[in-house]
Amino acid sequence: MPVVVIHGGAGSRSADLKTCRKDYLQALSVALERAATLLEQGGAAIDAVQAAVMVMEDECDLLNAGRGSVLCRDGTIEMSAAVMRGDDRGAGAVAAVTRSRHPVLAARAVLDHTPHVLMVGARADAVAAAAGVAQREPEYFITARRRARLDDLPSDFAGGTVGAVCRDATGSLAAATSTGGRQGQLPGRIGDSPLPGAGTWADEHVAISCTGDGEEFIRSGVARHISALVAAGTPIAAAADAALAQVGELGGTGGVIAVDAGGQVALRFTTEAMPRGMRRGANISTWLL
Ligand code: ASP
């Protein structure tokens, strides 16, 4: 039975979560349905995670990916994303892109159309454009609400990064993550999300997408840590908790979603909230706190 798990970023129990509760839950459900449709149409796990992330990238202001991403300190937006396929560890990622309408599609373009794993900035957008990924002017991604937020809270940990993991009916695994990074970050800063082994990972054992304090996730090698534990026989939830504990030792918080080859899942976080959802067969569950 196929399993899809998604997250909308680890963060605080913000006022938004309360006032926009229905919108969050609706967005999560739509993303899960879109992934399921792809699988029903014969898509692979990587197509399903890409589809789910695209829906969440389209959620302006609610989620921190694609249009409506958080702003860097200078008021610009730099977006990053990664996709990874478990069967052959095929990985594609982009960092600090400013024009690709769906950064997750730009990551997929790097995987499908280049011999590389991670590309950055304008050159990454150009690869995406050549592969047919829609492009927009950088201003398109900036919303009035995010600009007002930057003025109020210059370095807020807004959360809202998005991610998806999937085990398809054939047992193949895939992961995808997309983010605008941290509000108020220095332009040029890259977090864990586009880095295979840190914020995103898929191999034959497990698929993982992370969210949280990117620097501490990078320094802990969170996703690869979880995969090594799972490969050695640790149950997936215990593996996720162990990796989050290491992040905690470095002073960071966050969350992970993961699915293993047997279809076991983990949705773990050390923050107050992490919008998240799961679809197993036809059953959908969604949560905020
Ligand atoms: N991990 C992301 C980053 O550091 C942020 C997040 O998940 O909220 O860029």
Side-chain angles (χ1 to χ4, degrees):
M1 197 183 277
V3 185
V4 182
V5 186
I6 60 175
H7 71 77
S12 58
R13 191 190 289 253
S14 66
D16 277 2
L17 278 186
K18 231 182 179 180
T19 48
C20 305
R21 189 170 186 279
K22 272 200 185 135
D23 298 332
Y24 274 106
L25 296 175
Q26 168 77 4
L28 293 170
S29 296
V30 173
L32 288 167
E33 290 293 1
R34 194 67 59 82
T37 304
L38 255 285
L39 291 172
E40 275 155 26
Q41 290 168 348
I46 192 164
D47 304 313
V49 293
Q50 177 183 303
V53 166
M54 281 175 75
V55 169
M56 294 188 282
E57 285 178 342
D58 279 339
E59 264 324 312
C60 293
D61 293 329
L62 218 49
L63 297 170
N64 171 22
R67 180 160 193 268
S69 285
V70 299
L71 274 55
C72 298
R73 192 170 296 183
D74 64 353
T76 59
I77 282 184
E78 295 185 341
M79 303 169 288
S80 297
V83 292
M84 190 159 176
R85 184 169 55 211
D87 291 342
D88 61 351
R89 295 200 194 177
V94 293
V97 293
T98 60
R99 291 175 182 270
S100 292
R101 166 83 183 80
H102 286 105
V104 72
L105 291 185
R108 183 70 185 265
V110 172
L111 169 60
D112 289 348
H113 298 283
T114 80
H116 307 307
V117 167
L118 173 60
M119 295 191 71
V120 63
R123 306 287 177 119
D125 279 321
V127 164
V133 178
Q135 303 288 296
R136 297 284 185 273
E137 290 301 314
E139 294 70 40
Y140 163 84
F141 297 92
I142 300 175
T143 62
R145 190 140 175 270
R146 292 293 194 194
R147 188 172 285 288
R149 268 238 166 134
L150 183 68
D151 293 342
D152 291 351
L153 299 161
S155 60
D156 183 33
F157 175 17
T161 290
V162 308
V165 296
C166 173
R167 176 198 180 276
D168 67 22
T170 67
S172 293
L173 299 167
T177 312
S178 182
T179 188
R182 306 293 299 262
Q183 178 162 306
Q185 68 186 6
L186 285 176
R189 177 258 183 194
I190 310 294
D192 59 314
S193 309
L195 304 182
T200 307
W201 183 260
D203 58 22
E204 67 274 35
H205 302 291
V206 64
I208 300 150
S209 172
C210 302
T211 167
D213 292 318
E215 280 69 13
E216 284 69 29
F217 274 68
I218 294 171
R219 292 163 62 216
S220 302
V222 170
R224 189 68 179 99
H225 182 194
I226 294 172
S227 100
L229 290 173
V230 171
T234 306
I236 191 166
D241 286 343
L244 286 172
Q246 274 207 359
V247 170
E249 280 166 26
L250 294 178
T253 59
V256 305
I257 55 169
V259 61
D260 69 17
Q264 297 297 312
V265 302
L267 301 89
R268 314 291 293 175
F269 52 104
T270 55
T271 49
E272 287 176 349
M274 183 173 77
R276 61 202 183 283
M278 178 167 93
R279 191 179 198 278
R280 189 188 289 279
N283 294 328
I284 285 191
S285 310
T286 53
W287 307 266
L288 293 185
L289 302 178

